[in-house]
Amino acid sequence: MLIKRRRGWELPESTATSEALYMNRRAMLRGMGLATIGGALPFASALGQEADPSAKLYPVAKNAKYTLDRPVTAEKLATTYNNFYEFGSHKTIWRDAQKRMKLRPWMVKIDGLIDKPIELGFDDLLAKMPLEERLYRHRCVETWSMAVPYSGFPLKALVDLAQPKADAKYLVMQTASNPSVFPGQREFYYPWPYTDGLTMAEATHELSFIATGLYGKPIVPQNGAPLRLATPWKYGFKHVKSIVRFTFSDKRPVSFWEALIKEEYGFWANINPEVPHPRWSQASEKLLGSDERIPTQLYNGYGEFVAGLYKDMKGEKLFM
């Protein structure tokens, strides 16, 4: 007898919104002129953003394996409450990001321990990748959380494109560096450019994802356009935004926050309710758009599938 074991991110198909209802809603919004970020906030037109040439690719097919145990966060909230220190340390950077960031041309470099370094435009990279939509939980180290529909591709697809050498142990990612665009990068005490990384085992895990879209459209600047990392079992500061470089290395990188405050932020940053931040508890989280606090889950609820990555890592501070 074949017994199908349901994964922790999967729900019965009967709980999902029907495709007909979803598409009818999108059609209604388009007819009302509201099929934009947040429904009633046409950011691109209001702030002079150029049309995104990748827009025709979205929405992409939904991968039914990746669903949620909670409602999807309202688009307006997820796109107007953001951490992006390149634009400042406050949560209302979305207007500045929309105004300042130009997403074309956007060159992506893939180098390090590979035979043939690659440099190509974002749209050329996108054309080589298998796009899909996944519903992911997102947990910030500041204890707020959201649940969003990301579009993009498995990070493993990029690793397969690069064909790293056997001695590559880490994949290092960097955010764009341009102080004329990112005013926060003028602050000399931060270790710019924003850098973080994963082990090769983490980078090739099925949950590791590069997001290029959000809510059925190209991802917007304040959420890390045109491509950002999404590793849902790790705190959000690991999710590198606006990536311009992927480097395969045999040395563990010193991540941005690790370089800044190593006493508080480590390389691994896996979510654990029982390991507090030095200045606050991680036992619960607040859902964006709600006053409700819910218990934080180990590895953000993905532990059954990622805990094996860290087996027998004695002496490593895996959770902060």
Side-chain angles (χ1 to χ4, degrees):
M1 177 183 296
L2 178 63
I3 300 175
K4 185 178 185 298
R5 177 167 163 265
R6 190 174 298 282
R7 294 177 176 243
W9 56 73
E10 296 183 81
L11 293 178
E13 186 175 349
S14 60
T15 67
T17 301
S18 72
E19 182 178 3
L21 181 59
Y22 176 74
M23 296 307 292
N24 284 343
R25 178 180 179 274
R26 289 180 62 83
M28 180 184 70
L29 291 174
R30 281 196 298 271
M32 297 171 62
L34 300 178
T36 52
I37 303 161
L41 289 174
F43 295 140
S45 58
L47 295 174
Q49 285 286 309
E50 296 177 1
D52 190 320
S54 70
K56 62 183 181 294
L57 300 176
Y58 303 92
V60 298
K62 181 182 293 186
N63 188 329
K65 288 198 307 183
Y66 304 94
T67 68
L68 293 169
D69 59 351
R70 62 194 67 176
V72 171
T73 301
E75 184 176 357
K76 180 178 177 180
L77 289 173
T79 56
T80 59
Y81 188 87
N82 312 101
N83 280 329
F84 202 157
Y85 273 68
E86 282 77 355
F87 291 103
S89 58
H90 54 88
K91 293 293 190 296
T92 56
I93 56 85
W94 67 266
R95 290 184 185 273
D96 203 24
Q98 285 281 340
K99 180 173 64 175
R100 288 176 171 272
M101 282 189 72
K102 301 296 182 184
L103 302 179
R104 303 296 188 284
W106 192 277
M107 299 304 294
V108 180
K109 181 180 290 186
I110 305 173
D111 62 5
L113 295 175
I114 60 177
D115 288 328
K116 296 181 180 179
I118 302 168
E119 187 167 13
L120 72 174
F122 167 70
D123 294 293
D124 295 324
L125 174 63
L126 206 58
K128 296 177 182 293
M129 295 292 112
L131 298 181
E132 62 182 56
E133 181 181 86
R134 298 182 178 187
L135 302 182
Y136 270 0
R137 298 188 286 270
H138 175 93
R139 173 64 155 77
C140 181
V141 73
E142 298 165 343
T143 79
W144 57 267
S145 64
M146 62 181 182
V148 297
Y150 282 127
S151 301
F153 55 87
L155 181 53
K156 186 179 184 301
L158 184 141
V159 174
D160 291 342
L161 175 68
Q163 298 183 8
K165 296 180 180 180
D167 52 346
K169 297 177 181 176
Y170 299 92
L171 177 56
V172 186
M173 287 153 278
Q174 286 188 341
T175 294
S177 180
N178 187 342
S180 67
V181 173
F182 301 113
Q185 291 180 340
R186 301 170 195 161
E187 303 293 349
F188 67 90
Y189 46 82
Y190 286 114
W192 307 114
Y194 199 102
T195 301
D196 216 311
L198 302 170
T199 65
M200 291 303 300
E202 292 175 322
T204 55
H205 191 277
E206 66 174 306
L207 284 171
S208 293
F209 198 63
I210 294 293
T212 62
L214 188 66
Y215 293 94
K217 298 179 287 291
I219 195 168
V220 288
Q222 63 269 28
N223 289 95
L227 68 171
R228 66 164 289 168
L229 177 67
T231 45
W233 70 97
K234 292 179 176 288
Y235 290 113
F237 66 84
K238 289 288 290 186
H239 300 199
V240 189
K241 299 179 177 72
S242 301
I243 302 171
V244 294
R245 188 174 185 179
F246 297 86
T247 300
F248 293 89
S249 176
D250 59 354
K251 297 179 177 60
R252 182 190 295 186
V254 177
S255 62
F256 178 90
W257 285 103
E258 189 181 6
L260 191 66
I261 319 175
K262 65 179 181 180
E263 296 81 9
E264 296 188 4
Y265 301 99
F267 172 78
W268 299 100
N270 296 317
I271 296 166
N272 189 334
E274 296 184 2
V275 178
H277 184 280
R279 290 179 281 133
W280 57 79
S281 170
Q282 296 290 359
S284 66
E285 62 198 70
K286 181 179 181 295
L287 299 169
L288 279 187
S290 170
D291 292 329
E292 178 187 7
R293 295 195 71 90
I294 62 174
T296 296
Q297 300 178 66
L298 180 64
Y299 293 106
N300 205 22
Y302 298 95
E304 183 180 358
F305 312 103
V306 299
L309 294 171
Y310 311 104
K311 187 178 179 180
D312 299 326
M313 286 192 181
K314 296 180 180 178
E316 291 280 0
K317 294 184 178 180
L318 296 174
F319 299 104
M320 187 54 61

